[in-house]
Structures are given as structure tokens and as C-alpha cells.
Amino acid sequence: MQIEGPFCLLIGLRGGGAVAAAGMGPGGACWRGGGAGARRWLSSRAPAPRVCVVGSGPAGFYTAQHLLKHHDLAQVDIYEKLPVPFGLVRFGVAPDHPEVKSYGAEDNRILGIPGENLPGVYSARAFVGWYNGLPENRDLNPDLSCETALILGHGNVALDIARILLSPLDLLRKTDITDCSLAALACSKVKRVWLAGRRGPLQVAFTIKELREMINLPGTQPVLNPADFTGLENAVKDAPRPRKRLTELMIKTALQKPGEVAAQAAAARQWGLKFQRSPQEVLPTADGRRARGVRMALTRLEGSGESAKAIPTGDVEELECGLVLSSIGYRSLPLDPAVPFDMQRGIIPNSMGRVEGAPGLYCSGWVKRGPTGVIITTMNDSFDTAQSVLEDLRGGMLDVSVSREGFGAVGSILRSRGVRPVSFSDWEKIDAAEVARGKAAGKPREKIVDPQEMLQLIGH
């Protein structure tokens, strides 16, 4: 992994974090901010540091922004493996949440149970990528012919998926959801969605805004069991305010009598939360060709609060469902043998963004801290990494005295390999085409999901 320049930042959003620019395929992209590129192992001081940022998700752009804002002479190149930038802003967040636009690791955690590879079982990452137009997931073609779906997980992504599955089509038509996804959802038979988690109401990972939106979703009725919340009003009295408000909203919803709200009484669709259930096995149909349900182990909690652990009780139950979506977290993948990687934690070992044992190499985003947090978390995390770079520049830890070509050198390598990078002006042509197609359909944009079509559009 050799990239010309003084130092390199490996960004943990859109693809798990790091993509070596010299290894880009025909659709790879490079955008320049102030100047040039970078090299993995570097060292430091000089009037005009050249920086290479690998990955164009929020972590990449926020890191570049902080460097350019606080170092007048910094020159930054951003590299991306796809022909389009912005990572999770484009591909990660639900289309009906354009103000948020929330994941970026390249792999998903597996359940590790029998039957998880049966047709009808999908990772949340792939499903989100499908309806958001991520090229690698454009052919997912999920089977939505069943009435009941089970989402394993109690995070915001799980709620996003439930909301997309149950939202009225009129709402989705106004978003940038892909046309093929909208057509599939129009034919969907799913009218009931359960969200199951290993732990209890006090350990859910979603936020109150997303829960409230789900509770108020037109044409749907929330189904929460009041028994799941017994005694919790006292338990959250001294809890942090966000956790207290979230729990109180769940309790209020659970105690609401069906029919109290006319719109919900007439709801044709339902969703609900199931607690203290851990998946043991995805059950096949009689012919073994697809999923028909999930065997769940009932659990009890040891400990309290965020540190509570789910322990199987020995009891089990079967939940009938024809669609299973695993939303138990994402996972970054190793980049290159030259870059250290903690396989167990799924991160690059680092101290404040400085990669251990690799002077001049930095990381940010989920590949730095793991797949947690939302956009604001990523922003602050990226600023911290950029600050580490600035401190190392000021302290003489990085040798930038030798003039380097940056992208000039990388460009030569790419040309020698027959690779033609996509520039930011090329992306603007793709952007304009998507917006124009969307306008014709009454949407913010109609995403192009085939990289080859993108390249043809810009004359590559």
C-alpha cells in the first residue's frame, strides 16, 4: 500500500474505512481540497502538508474540513472506491430522513446460528443498501411476499427498516428511495413487523425521535406489552434524561388502549417490540427452501443499565415470520497487511486516531472506534483525529519538508494501470442527471445504481 505524500488518514465510513487509492477500480474517485495526496507511513514538518484521506463519507469530509480550516497551507485529496461521494449520507440513512442521512462499515455481524443463510434472511446492511441504491446491493431482490417480518435488533437502523416496510407509499414516493425498491414495496404483503432484542426496555439503542416517528406512522398500530414495563417507572427516575424520556414514551404507548386513537384503531398494519429474546435458529419451511420463523431463547438480565447481560433461561419460543432482517451491528474489515487491524473488535488499533505502530497513519470514523453513534458523533470523532494530525505537525512528528507530488504520482500509477478516476466535476454531472430524473418523477433525485451507467454518463 504505497500512496505518495506525507501521511494518510483512513476513514471508517462507507466501506469500513479505508481504500488504497492506487487500487481503485474503473469507478474509483478522487477529489482535491487545496492540493495533493499522501503516503502511508510518513513523517512530518513542512510549510505545506499534503494529506490523503481514504473514504468520502462524513468522517472523511469532516476530517478534511477540520484540517483545511485550521491549517492554511494544508492540501487534501479524498479518495473513494465508488464513482459517487458522501458514503452514508447517500447510502446509509433511510430515504425519508434526508436531514440525517447512519452506517459505514463494509461488513455486518453474523448471527452465528443455523439457518441464517436461508432465503428470506437478510442483513440490515444489505437491505438498507438495497432501498438506498448502493450498487453492490441493487440486485438483492428481497422476498416481501409474507405477512410478518422479524427484525433482530433494537437500534435506529432496525426502526428505519420497520418504518420503510410499513410506510404508506405516498410518503415514500416523495423521497429519493430507488424506483425498483418502491416498486417492490408497492407489491409487499408485509403488514406486521416485530423488532426483537436480547435485553430489555432499558437497554434499547434507538432514540426517542425515531421511536416517536414510528409510533405516529400513519396507518399503523404499535403493539407493546404492558407487562414488559412493570416497575420501570421507578427504575428510570434517576436515569439520564434521554433514557428516562424514551422509557416513559414506551410505557405510555404500551398502556394506550387500542382504539384510543381512531387512526390507530383503523390501522391495517402493526409493529411491536419484543424483549429478552435471543435468536437460536432460523426455521426452514417443510421443503427447506426458505425461512418460516425463528426459534428464540428467552433470556433474563444479569446486572442493570447499559452493562446488563442477557442470560438464556432455558425456555424457548417460536415466532412465525417469512422475512428475517438481522440488525445487530456492522463491522469493518481489514484494509491491507501493512495496516494493523484488531479482528476481534473490528477496528484499527489507535490512540486518538494515531494508528499504533504506523507513524503518519491516522484513522477516523467506525474503523477507529467501532460501529457506534450517529452523524454528530462521527463529526466530533473526526475533528479529534484531525486535531491529532495538527498537533503532530506542530510538534515536528511529521516530516513534510520534502516536496511530493501527491495525486500527481497517484494519477500516474492509475494511468499506467488503465484506470481513469472520476473527478468531482464528473460527480456533479452524475448528480445533475439524478436530480433531473428525480424531478421528472416528483422526487428529490432518482439514484443511478449501476456504476457502469454512471461511467457512461460522464464519458468514461
Side-chain angles (χ1 to χ4, degrees), residues 74-252:
Q75 299 182 26
V76 180
D77 285 348
I78 301 178
Y79 294 89
E80 166 63 49
K81 70 178 180 180
L82 291 174
V84 292
F86 308 135
L88 73 79
V89 174
R90 179 179 171 96
F91 297 120
V93 175
D96 57 346
H97 279 186
E99 78 286 357
V100 182
K101 278 300 191 187
S102 318
Y103 80 90
E106 192 170 15
D107 201 8
N108 53 273
R109 292 178 181 166
I110 64 170
L111 292 169
I113 61 174
E116 70 175 304
N117 294 319
L118 282 169
V121 183
Y122 308 92
S123 73
R125 181 185 179 278
F127 196 78
V128 170
W130 169 70
Y131 63 63
N132 270 330
L134 183 61
E136 66 190 65
N137 299 129
R138 67 185 187 274
D139 297 323
L140 188 70
N141 193 27
D143 185 347
L144 306 179
S145 62
C146 64
E147 290 192 354
T148 302
L150 172 64
I151 302 173
L152 300 170
H154 279 166
N156 279 343
V157 173
L159 280 183
D160 279 348
I161 293 172
R163 195 177 63 254
I164 294 298
L165 284 171
L166 298 177
S167 283
L169 289 177
D170 287 346
L171 294 181
L172 294 179
R173 286 193 182 100
K174 301 172 185 175
T175 73
D176 68 356
I177 191 170
T178 62
D179 195 47
C180 66
S181 303
L182 189 61
L185 289 166
C187 299
S188 171
K189 298 290 195 298
V190 176
K191 62 181 182 181
R192 187 181 306 104
V193 178
W194 297 111
L195 297 91
R198 294 179 299 109
R199 301 192 294 171
L202 296 182
Q203 289 80 36
V204 295
F206 49 72
T207 50
I208 192 168
K209 177 180 179 293
E210 281 68 24
L211 176 64
R212 185 179 292 115
E213 186 176 8
M214 194 70 203
I215 291 170
N216 295 326
L217 188 66
T220 67
Q221 178 186 355
V223 181
L224 277 68
N225 186 353
D228 289 332
F229 302 91
T230 302
L232 291 193
E233 286 177 315
N234 289 328
V236 295
K237 279 184 177 178
D238 299 321
R241 188 168 182 266
R243 174 65 66 184
K244 181 180 179 182
R245 291 178 62 230
L246 178 63
T247 306
E248 287 173 346
L249 178 58
M250 286 189 286
I251 293 172
K252 177 182 176 183

